[in-house]
Amino acid sequence: MPFWSNPAVRGGVYQVTVLAGVFALGAYLIDNTLDNLAARSIRSGFGFMAREAGFELGESLIPYEPSDSYARAYLAGFVNTMKVSFAGIVLCSILGLFVGIARLSKNWLVARLASFYVETLRNIPILLQLFFWYALIIEVLPPSLDAINLGPGVFLSKSGLLFPLPLYDPAHAWVGLAFLVGIPAAVFYGHWAKQRQNATGQQLPRLLPTVGLVLGPAIIVFLILGAPLTFEVPVFQRFRFVGGGELTPEFLALWLGLSIYTSAFVAEVVRAGILAVDWGQNEAAGALGLRRGLVLRLVVLPQALRVIIPPTTNQYLNLAKNSSLAVAVGYPDLTSVTNTSLNQTGQAVECIAVMMAVYLTLSLLISAGMNIYNRVVAIPDRR
Amino acid sequence: MTDAALPIAPPRTGPTAWLRTNLFGSWRNTLISLGSFALLVWAVPPLLDWFLFESRWGDTPPAECRKAAGACWAFVHEKHRLILFGRYPFAEQWRPLVGMAILLGLIGASCYRPFWRRWLLAVWAVGIAVMAVLMWGGVFGLRFVETTLWGGLPLTFLLTTVGVGAAFPLGVVLALGRRSKLPIIRAVSIGYIELVRGVPLVSLLFMASFMFPLFMPSGVQINALIRAQVAIILFAGAYLAEVVRGGLQAVPRGQIEAAAALGMGYWLTMRKIVLPQAIRLVIPGIVNSFISTFKDTSLVAIVSLSDLMLSTRQAIADPLWRPFFVEGYVFIGAIYLVFCFLMSRYSQHLEVQLNTGRRR
């Protein structure tokens, strides 16, 4: 047998070739880039991050001024990305769960409506939906002067959604602390009740004590400290609203657009998850004498969640990545900051590298978490 | 127990029975039905009024459109050439139209299973070549049209088909690499797939428009269309790789061992045994990738390529017609919706036909 027919030799040759190819390509691109940068007299390196950014951001959760550094602008953009992603994940889960269950409803009308929702929304590009929502908010809604009053202190207009904000009081810190104490107490009670049931067969009430333990201390502390709660209500002064909390039109459009689009996919995941649980499981649980609610909680949901959670996480990840379309509606997220920075500094490589690294870290962290979760919940005796 | 005590069984067929089982089975069901019905009554008539009864069609001037309570389809009528073909020279717009028809015909023909033969690839190659000639021109007496003028729906279809077409071989290679026993090849493939799947498409498009020019040797310029197309290919490739990998994993080990027992090498085994089975399994997945790529091409609007999305934005930018953005978005939304919906129905149909889905 000639030596080149040896699989080990061949494998080695392939690997060395691929590696050499990758390195050669990388070296070629880097070399060209350095030449081009030199020709355009652009300095490379991340030194620019410490320089003054000089641009405004439409909104920021952390304090940010145009005189702050690029690094600070990136951080503010990242925090904004996280903010809209988090809000989007919450809303899309609620909508998706609701629509997914509705699609399985025995009620014909509800099932039809739900599948219309899913089929329409997931077949229209997210960018188009974002443009649509944004245009709807800034073109169709009335100006601040004639803002629609949705409830006490809640106003909707071209300039966004305004709502009353509770003013901070030192007592709130104690209420928060009491709330944090309540959670471990509830967990401890749950464990104790389960052990008790295992030992004696006696079932203790679960739901009410849990809610009571989580919320009770906080409410009691709140009442003892004299229920200090005042709201700062937005008031129309001269040309615009002052005070209160605000959701900008950009944030609203992005939040609604992302949530509604993703909810269509989440709904499909939920539906598939529920369908994946064998009907026999329901019947078996019923035969054991479990009530309907217990069948859902103890038998169906734990199995459905195993199927639902991994693809749902994927959808959350998609939502977070799609939040980069903020650049289209002018919400100052990581991508918008990157876009402005690279236009100002010309340091495209560094700016885009930072953006990609952030998204990549986020994705890898979430998928690593997902893998761990999968290992924990996997049914051990599956094939 | 006497027979008289038994209630009369409700009818099991007919419209009354249908209503009873599907809408008014229990008091809760009845309540839900009435609620949904109220929602429909509240939402549908105003929408229909806007959409149809109060709308303005044909040649209505914008000033008159503003007075109407309903939609102004006159906007779409006035701007449909700009929306559908972008800034392509007006007199030459039959060329992208014919090109698009060829492309759609090819897509349609490829959906028909008896055509899944080798010659279909050749037909595709000829079709794409004809479309390229039509779009570019410069030969056969056709006027040369720069790519910067290409736009609208033909561009969207072109970016999608060329994107998926070129991404498919890339995806197959990456999927094989990811399943390879050779550690370096596996690491390179995994690295590429996870890197691309971990970042948003927008960042790849940014890379294409700002970094690709830096990557090229000085003096070499690649136009914006090709750069965006490359970004789409690189992006779709990573996703297709995962789709194909699913198929590769589903091919039983015994097939590979049997091939090895017959003395077949790695490439022969893959080409003749594994890939044909794997790809057959994942065709519905590939169609789904096609749908998402079709939707994703709208993002090239962000890097200023006037695909269907951006050409519509350009049409809306006309101050005379500015109030009628909803009509514009509804129009192209319907185009995207119809195409994606048909493709996804086709994918579901295939899944049943190829019996790859789990039957229950």
Side-chain angles (χ1 to χ4, degrees), chain B residues 114-134:
Chain B
F115 286 174
W116 291 358
R117 296 275 177 272
R118 241 167 241 286
W119 54 260
L120 190 62
L121 281 180
V123 175
W124 264 100
V126 173
I128 293 284
V130 171
M131 179 154 186
V133 168
L134 278 171

Side-chain angles (χ1 to χ4, degrees), chain A residues 212-234:
Chain A
L213 279 173
V214 172
L215 294 181
I219 292 173
I220 292 167
V221 168
F222 183 66
L223 292 176
I224 287 174
L225 292 173
L229 190 63
T230 41
F231 283 96
E232 189 192 34
V233 181

Side-chain angles (χ1 to χ4, degrees), chain A residues 4-62:
Chain A
W4 61 82
S5 291
N6 182 345
V9 174
R10 284 195 166 195
V13 171
Y14 286 143
Q15 301 202 66
V16 170
T17 317
V18 167
L19 204 60
V22 169
F23 272 111
L25 183 70
Y28 175 71
L29 295 182
I30 290 171
D31 186 51
N32 281 338
T33 307
L34 290 180
D35 279 356
N36 281 316
L37 289 178
R40 294 173 201 193
S41 57
I42 298 173
R43 257 187 313 165
S44 55
F46 289 92
F48 77 98
M49 277 294 196
R51 292 212 308 267
E52 186 182 310
F55 55 85
E56 296 263 3
L57 291 183
E59 61 191 285
S60 172
L61 266 187
I62 57 167

Side-chain angles (χ1 to χ4, degrees), chain A residues 14-15 28 32-33 36 107-108 110 122-123 125 127-128 131 135 139 261 321 324-325 355 359-360 363, chain B residues 22-23 29 32-33 36 184 195 197-198 200 203 214-217 239 267 295 298 309 313 322 325 340:
Chain A
Y14 286 143
Q15 301 202 66
Y28 175 71
N32 281 338
T33 307
N36 281 316
N107 189 309
W108 182 83
V110 170
R122 69 172 184 175
N123 283 326
L127 185 62
L128 177 56
F131 279 140
E139 304 265 344
Y261 178 75
K321 283 189 285 177
S324 61
L325 295 178
M355 166 171 78
Y359 280 116
L360 195 62
S363 302
Chain B
N22 290 312
L23 292 177
N29 218 340
I32 294 175
S33 297
S36 325
I184 291 177
L195 180 77
R197 275 161 38 95
S203 66
L214 295 176
F215 286 162
M216 291 297 121
Y239 282 83
W267 292 109
K295 287 189 291 171
S298 61
M309 187 73 240
R313 304 259 300 160
R322 185 147 182 76
F325 67 92
C340 293

Side-chain angles (χ1 to χ4, degrees), chain A residues 77-374:
Chain A
F78 173 68
V79 172
N80 277 339
T81 292
M82 293 307 286
K83 172 182 159 193
V84 76
S85 304
F86 186 73
I89 284 172
V90 171
L91 186 59
C92 86
S93 309
I94 297 170
L95 287 175
L97 189 67
F98 186 73
V99 177
I101 292 174
R103 262 200 102 170
L104 287 175
S105 168
K106 286 201 185 74
N107 189 309
W108 182 83
L109 199 54
V110 170
R112 288 297 99 188
L113 282 174
S115 49
F116 176 76
Y117 177 94
V118 169
E119 292 296 348
T120 311
L121 289 169
R122 69 172 184 175
N123 283 326
I124 295 177
I126 169 75
L127 185 62
L128 177 56
Q129 297 191 31
L130 286 181
F131 279 140
F132 180 78
W133 292 116
Y134 188 56
L136 215 55
I137 291 173
I138 60 166
E139 304 265 344
V140 174
L141 286 180
S144 331
L145 182 60
D146 312 312
I148 305 167
N149 199 338
L150 291 175
V154 183
F155 298 96
L156 185 64
S157 71
K158 266 188 205 321
S159 40
L161 182 76
L162 293 130
F163 52 91
L165 207 61
L167 279 175
Y168 178 75
D169 187 284
H172 291 169
W174 293 106
V175 175
L177 201 66
F179 181 70
L180 287 183
V181 171
I183 294 172
V187 172
F188 181 75
Y189 172 79
H191 270 284
W192 179 74
K194 190 165 186 187
Q195 269 170 9
R196 176 84 184 257
Q197 186 185 350
N198 287 345
T200 65
Q202 182 195 5
Q203 277 192 356
L204 293 170
R206 293 292 270 283
L207 187 66
L208 267 175
T210 308
V211 173
L213 279 173
V214 172
L215 294 181
I219 292 173
I220 292 167
V221 168
F222 183 66
L223 292 176
I224 287 174
L225 292 173
L229 190 63
T230 41
F231 283 96
E232 189 192 34
V233 181
V235 187
F236 192 78
Q237 284 178 350
R238 284 168 174 268
F239 305 112
R240 58 194 195 89
F241 279 98
V242 178
E246 184 196 14
L247 298 180
T248 60
E250 291 79 21
F251 176 82
L252 274 179
L254 190 64
W255 181 39
L256 283 180
L258 288 174
S259 312
I260 293 177
Y261 178 75
T262 314
S263 74
F265 292 88
V266 172
E268 282 301 89
V269 170
V270 169
R271 186 175 80 114
I274 294 175
L275 282 179
V277 179
D278 198 348
W279 186 245
Q281 296 278 332
N282 263 294
E283 293 170 340
L288 288 176
L290 287 180
R291 275 182 285 113
R292 183 80 197 123
L294 285 178
V295 174
L296 264 183
R297 211 182 75 207
L298 299 177
V299 179
V300 178
L301 268 184
Q303 298 185 65
L305 279 182
R306 235 176 234 119
V307 182
I308 289 174
I309 288 183
T312 308
T313 324
N314 255 335
Q315 291 307 329
Y316 291 167
L317 209 52
N318 281 344
L319 187 146
K321 283 189 285 177
N322 281 334
S323 74
S324 61
L325 295 178
V327 71
V329 293
Y331 175 75
D333 80 323
L334 184 64
T335 313
S336 307
V337 170
T338 305
N339 194 18
T340 316
S341 308
L342 78 84
N343 280 327
Q344 281 190 9
T345 61
Q347 292 188 297
V349 181
E350 292 86 346
C351 288
I352 294 175
V354 171
M355 166 171 78
M356 286 187 152
V358 172
Y359 280 116
L360 195 62
T361 316
L362 211 62
S363 302
L364 292 182
L365 278 181
I366 293 181
S367 46
M370 214 45 253
N371 287 339
I372 294 174
Y373 171 84
N374 269 337

